[in-house]
Amino acid sequence: MIPIAKPIIGEDEVRAVTEVLRSGVIAEGQKVKDFEAAFSQYSGTEFAIAVNSGTAALHAALLAHGIGPGDEVITTPFSFVATANSVQFTGAKPVFADIKEDTFNIDPESIIEKITPKTKAIIPVHLYGQSADMKAIMDIAEDKNLVVIEDACQAHGATFEGKSVGSFGEGTFSFYPTKNMTTSEGGMITTNDKNVAEKARMIRSHGSKQRYLHEMLGFNLRMTDICAAIGLVQLGKIGDFNRSRINNAHYLTRDLQKINGLVLPHVDKRCGHVFHQYTVRIRGDLSRDEVVSSLNKMDIGTGIYYPLPIHKQPYYKELGYNDSLPIAEAASKEVLSLPVHPSLNKLDLETICGKMRKIMN
Ligand SMILES: *Cc1c(COP(=O)(O)O)cnc(C)c1O
């Protein structure tokens, strides 16, 4: 089976973890500080705050901006549910804008339509490793005085007009094993705003700057030194990992040209796409689900991100959401992700393309 994702953990990660375990300092310590310093440099931001998941990063970034009950936050329904749930945690209301047909990212024109006097923030998601239209989004945010929290959980190293994602507004990253780099579980907030950084650090650790002095309500969102040690090693490899993903994507795109009913990924010229996923649309005689089942029978792993848009999830329907977001809804029925991860070799890529051609012809 060629899997849809495969984390690459080497002997150097094993050594780094062992070193932390032997040191006796296994919760948040110097390794977390070192990882934060390295990550802020990597993302071109002044501050980075490590937390224990991408979800925690989104949650803390919203709280650090004081977002809560009575506020609205505009985001995309075509994402992992954590994006909207983080808004829900704060007591604010997620409001869904539709997406662009070609990139699957939030549509700035739809954002404008959803703005009300209650709107406080926008959460664009850089889906599949490609930046949302940060030019248009930052223009809207400036014009309407809105906070921008980028969900870059799938986009470590991606750029828009040469600038790193996570450095336009506040950035939020995940280090879950299937992401472009991992710490096992983990997350990071990036920001250039000193106050936001300080608030996020307090929220991470029960609202305290000074031990046993609690100035606000916080949580335990801390990363461990064990995770940070893995992250430091992985950060040294992310450039190679991403180059390999990009090369694999180029191979797939070269080989899968001009197949009826197969729409290949669209790369916006302004974007440095890091191909967290290589996602096609199935629009021919075969249904997406038929293609999936054939590929799986031929030992090729596939992913569907995401089969149900967030506003159609049972939990959100129960909350009363019944928006019509036709582009997101159509995408959820047609998308199919093929393996693109750095563990693939040339034979794997040939196999994927060969089987895909066979099925689609
Ligand atoms: C993975 C992911 C998250 C959540 O990250 P966790 O580390 O799993 O909490 C949020 N948003 C998007 C788009 C993701 O892909």
Side-chain angles (χ1 to χ4, degrees):
M1 185 78 169
I2 301 175
I4 182 68
K6 187 172 176 210
I8 301 177
I9 299 292
E11 279 310 307
D12 27 2
E13 281 87 347
V14 173
R15 230 174 292 122
V17 167
T18 309
E19 190 190 304
V20 171
L21 290 173
R22 291 195 203 287
S23 79
V25 182
I26 58 175
E28 185 189 281
Q30 188 58 41
K31 286 283 176 200
V32 168
K33 288 200 176 71
D34 294 348
F35 184 36
E36 290 176 336
F39 201 88
S40 70
Q41 192 175 15
Y42 178 69
S43 60
T45 60
E46 221 171 314
F47 308 98
I49 302 94
V51 290
N52 52 24
S53 71
T55 307
L58 285 160
H59 185 195
L62 287 162
L63 290 176
H65 276 286
I67 287 160
D71 298 335
E72 292 179 357
V73 177
I74 299 176
T75 190
T76 166
F78 199 55
S79 181
F80 183 53
V81 73
T83 311
N85 282 358
S86 67
V87 177
Q88 201 61 22
F89 298 161
T90 68
K93 182 175 187 255
V95 171
F96 298 108
D98 212 344
I99 59 170
K100 299 280 281 185
E101 170 126 24
D102 53 357
T103 61
F104 304 104
N105 278 325
I106 196 165
D107 181 352
E109 282 175 25
S110 183
I111 294 176
I112 291 170
E113 286 166 16
K114 303 286 173 163
I115 291 173
T116 75
K118 291 180 175 175
T119 308
K120 288 284 153 53
I122 308 169
I123 308 182
V125 177
H126 307 308
L127 199 72
Y128 306 144
Q130 174 160 240
S131 175
D133 183 349
M134 292 315 292
K135 168 82 175 73
I137 292 167
M138 295 314 288
D139 284 350
I140 295 168
E142 195 169 323
D143 186 40
K144 303 285 180 186
N145 197 22
L146 304 175
V147 168
V148 175
I149 293 170
E150 302 172 63
D151 181 338
C153 288
Q154 303 186 355
H156 321 67
T159 57
F160 182 84
E161 292 181 335
K163 197 168 136 119
S164 293
V165 300
S167 68
F168 292 85
E170 266 66 67
T172 57
F173 294 84
S174 164
F175 304 120
Y176 187 73
T178 56
K179 311 288 173 161
N180 289 29
M181 62 173 280
T182 187
T183 61
S184 78
E185 295 272 7
M188 191 74 79
I189 301 162
T190 54
T191 182
N192 289 314
D193 184 326
K194 191 165 183 290
N195 290 325
V196 168
E198 184 168 279
K199 267 270 193 72
R201 285 184 202 287
M202 290 172 73
I203 290 159
R204 170 173 72 180
S205 203
H206 285 294
S208 80
K209 264 188 289 205
Q210 196 187 321
R211 194 176 284 201
Y212 303 124
L213 188 67
H214 305 281
E215 298 173 44
M216 63 187 287
L217 185 65
F219 301 84
N220 176 356
L221 307 177
R222 294 184 300 267
M223 179 181 274
T224 68
D225 266 21
I226 300 169
C227 292
I230 302 172
L232 274 165
V233 178
Q234 289 265 309
L235 194 56
K237 300 178 177 176
I238 182 73
D240 287 339
F241 288 164
N242 282 346
R243 266 187 293 280
S244 170
R245 286 176 180 276
I246 293 163
N247 289 337
N248 292 346
H250 286 166
Y251 185 105
L252 294 169
T253 291
R254 260 195 321 271
D255 211 86
L256 295 174
Q257 292 289 325
K258 297 203 177 77
I259 297 178
N260 267 338
L262 181 68
V263 183
L264 299 179
H266 171 79
V267 182
D268 182 325
K269 285 192 184 63
R270 300 167 296 176
C271 293
H273 194 324
V274 292
F275 287 96
H276 172 63
Q277 297 296 346
Y278 184 90
T279 303
V280 301
R281 297 177 86 117
I282 306 295
R283 275 183 166 163
D285 300 334
L286 288 175
S287 75
R288 188 260 316 270
D289 296 343
E290 286 169 317
V291 176
V292 168
S293 109
S294 299
L295 282 169
N296 295 351
K297 273 189 211 131
M298 293 173 171
D299 281 337
I300 296 177
T302 52
I304 296 170
Y305 312 106
Y306 292 90
L308 201 58
I310 301 174
H311 66 291
K312 295 280 189 191
Q313 293 290 343
Y315 170 68
Y316 283 89
K317 282 179 81 171
E318 204 164 298
L319 290 172
Y321 284 82
N322 67 350
D323 312 54
S324 165
L325 300 160
I327 303 180
E329 288 161 27
S332 70
K333 295 193 175 75
E334 294 178 358
V335 290
L336 163 61
S337 298
L338 298 172
V340 73
H341 54 82
S343 299
L344 300 176
N345 59 32
K346 179 118 186 298
L347 181 61
D348 294 331
L349 291 164
E350 276 170 21
T351 307
I352 294 163
C353 293
K355 305 282 189 205
M356 195 65 189
R357 293 183 159 282
K358 193 162 171 210
I359 293 165
M360 298 292 293
N361 270 330

